[in-house]
Amino acid sequence: MKRIAVLGSTGSIGVNALDVLRHLASECRVSGLSARSNWRLLEEQAREFRPARVAVSDPGARAELGGRLNGTTIHADPAEIAAHDDVDVVLCAITGAAGLAPGLAALGAGKTLALANKESLVAAGPLMIEAARRGGGRIVPVDSEHNAVFQAMRSGRHEEVRRIVLTASGGPFRDTPLEALAEATVEQALKHPTWNMGAKITIDSATMFNKALEIVEARWLFDVDPSKIEVVIHPQSIVHSIVEFADGSMIAQMGVPDMRTPIQYAITHPQRLAGLARPLDLVAAGALTFRAPDLEKFPSLEMGWRAARAGGTMGAVMNAANEAAVALFLDRRIPFPRIFQLVRAVMDRHELVAEPTLDDVRKADAWARSEVRCSTS
């Protein structure tokens, strides 16, 4: 029995992960759960899965939960669960930079880190890779695109990879004229054409900053030069990503858009077990189309390649500035295009630390958030 901890269990990915773990009840058991503040849903999950421990980051929510789960240890820090002896696989679905410390703890303790938190690798890719090397842990990506690349990479050797092609749905504004984005509302940006996700990642899809983050993530996760990473718009979201090898062979991972498939593969890897997603009907799917992204409409992509090339603390700055700008947009304090402007301006002002420590990454993160707030105050 694999022992699984689901960090961020009350979010979209976490809820899907628990659906997978119900399906895999004969193969896996839940040993830990965590949430930031949704203690009511966490209590329901804990009563169903009966983990030995849970973590609640928000002090008020932790106080509400206290005493309601007899026999379950309640922690303040999800990193304590991630590093615990009774965990084999840590599925980290914590949103944003808050997922970094638990991810490092899991890798340092030799766990398999099923990583749905792309921000960790964006902000501190070299530190994550080094933590895995030193601690004996390994990273298996959960994001559908990187999970697809992870699977396709098994078809050849690293030195044979010519390029990685990340596919993108294009989000709710893929067919919206550039000039119309100035009037884009929060409600419009939250209407994703394919995926049902949390608010922050849905806005990232609307700006395509999700793909900018994925460029940086792929650079570290697969140890490739940023020039070998491309992005194409694929509205059907059936081809989840592609790896092209030196001989011209292109290996694509395909399937219906259902996050439970990459979640399950990350948990059961290297095994493949019967899954929950319906089979892909190629005839019903019809034509699969691909087109180049509009870099004028989505300048986020160029920022992603820039951060991947720069390395150091630039990824942390891009990620933190974007998180802060998205929060302002969701609060209706800035218009949609201002997200791009704020992130670029903060990246332009940043003094890069080429070989950062964890403290450097945290300082860069805090500085970027402060810069965004100061620019809009």
Side-chain angles (χ1 to χ4, degrees):
M1 294 284 283
K2 280 189 177 180
R3 301 167 299 175
I4 316 297
V6 181
L7 309 184
S9 63
T10 60
S12 174
I13 296 293
V15 168
N16 275 304
L18 291 180
D19 198 17
V20 169
L21 289 166
R22 288 186 191 96
H23 171 66
L24 297 176
S26 63
E27 306 286 336
C28 304
R29 70 174 176 84
V30 176
S31 57
L33 298 171
S34 86
R36 185 181 66 84
S37 59
N38 190 349
W39 65 269
R40 288 185 176 87
L41 179 54
L42 182 64
E43 181 185 5
E44 290 178 21
Q45 294 171 341
R47 291 188 182 281
E48 176 183 359
F49 289 96
R50 305 182 67 82
R53 61 201 78 254
V54 301
V56 187
S57 304
D58 181 83
R62 191 164 59 253
E64 292 282 359
L65 188 62
R68 299 178 70 92
L69 294 174
N70 293 331
T72 301
T73 303
I74 301 176
H75 299 270
D77 186 354
E80 295 181 75
I81 292 177
H84 204 276
D85 290 343
D86 66 0
V87 174
D88 301 310
V89 178
V90 177
L91 192 148
C92 185
I94 297 172
T95 301
L100 175 57
L104 287 171
L107 293 171
K111 314 297 185 184
T112 293
L113 178 63
L115 187 63
N117 174 281
K118 61 172 62 72
E119 294 89 349
S120 298
L121 277 168
V122 172
L127 298 178
M128 295 285 286
I129 301 304
E130 178 62 12
R133 187 189 70 79
R134 294 173 70 93
R138 64 174 179 173
I139 303 171
V140 181
V142 169
D143 273 347
S144 60
E145 297 84 359
H146 294 88
N147 189 273
V149 173
F150 183 81
Q151 294 187 50
M153 288 282 244
R154 299 181 70 184
S155 296
R157 298 193 305 273
H158 179 270
E159 61 269 23
E160 296 170 339
V161 174
R162 179 181 289 170
R163 61 175 171 150
I164 290 171
V165 182
L166 302 174
T167 57
S169 69
F173 299 137
R174 68 184 174 216
D175 299 316
T176 302
L178 172 62
E179 56 274 15
L181 290 186
E183 305 300 323
T185 66
V186 171
E187 289 75 18
Q188 290 170 332
L190 288 173
K191 288 183 179 177
H192 196 281
T194 307
W195 301 99
N196 179 21
M197 306 176 291
K200 193 267 180 183
I201 193 171
T202 305
I203 300 301
D204 282 350
S205 182
T207 60
M208 288 196 71
F209 260 112
N210 68 324
K211 217 52 54 175
L213 297 171
E214 288 170 17
I215 291 168
V216 183
E217 185 180 8
R219 181 260 177 274
W220 297 115
L221 193 58
F222 303 113
D223 190 25
V224 295
D225 189 272
S227 64
K228 291 186 176 183
I229 304 169
E230 298 182 13
V231 174
V232 298
I233 303 295
H234 172 51
Q236 295 81 20
S237 297
I238 289 193
V239 175
H240 300 301
S241 277
I242 306 165
V243 176
E244 182 182 25
F245 291 95
D247 62 356
S249 296
M250 300 184 78
I251 309 299
Q253 190 269 335
M254 303 168 62
V256 296
D258 188 326
M259 279 306 300
R260 295 176 300 178
T261 299
I263 288 169
Q264 178 168 312
Y265 185 73
I267 290 171
T268 64
H269 170 78
Q271 289 182 293
R272 290 186 187 273
L273 302 175
L276 290 166
R278 61 180 173 82
L280 172 62
D281 184 333
L282 288 170
V283 174
L288 303 180
T289 60
F290 304 87
R291 67 175 188 257
D294 184 338
L295 298 182
E296 185 179 6
K297 188 164 72 172
F298 299 113
S300 47
L301 294 173
E302 290 289 5
M303 291 182 235
W305 278 302
R306 174 183 172 184
R309 288 191 300 268
T313 48
M314 191 61 80
V317 165
M318 180 183 74
N319 174 66
N322 176 60
E323 282 189 23
V326 167
L328 290 171
F329 174 69
L330 286 169
D331 286 344
R332 305 174 196 275
R333 294 175 56 190
I334 61 171
F336 185 80
R338 184 73 172 135
I339 298 173
F340 303 113
Q341 297 163 3
L342 286 169
V343 178
R344 179 187 283 120
V346 172
M347 291 176 72
D348 287 345
R349 292 196 293 270
H350 179 54
E351 295 183 8
L352 182 74
V353 179
E355 296 183 4
T357 63
L358 182 57
D359 188 52
D360 292 326
V361 168
R362 287 172 171 157
K363 287 178 179 177
D365 179 282
W367 173 84
R369 294 173 195 275
S370 176
E371 288 291 296
V372 169
R373 289 192 293 268
C374 289
S375 297
T376 55
S377 59

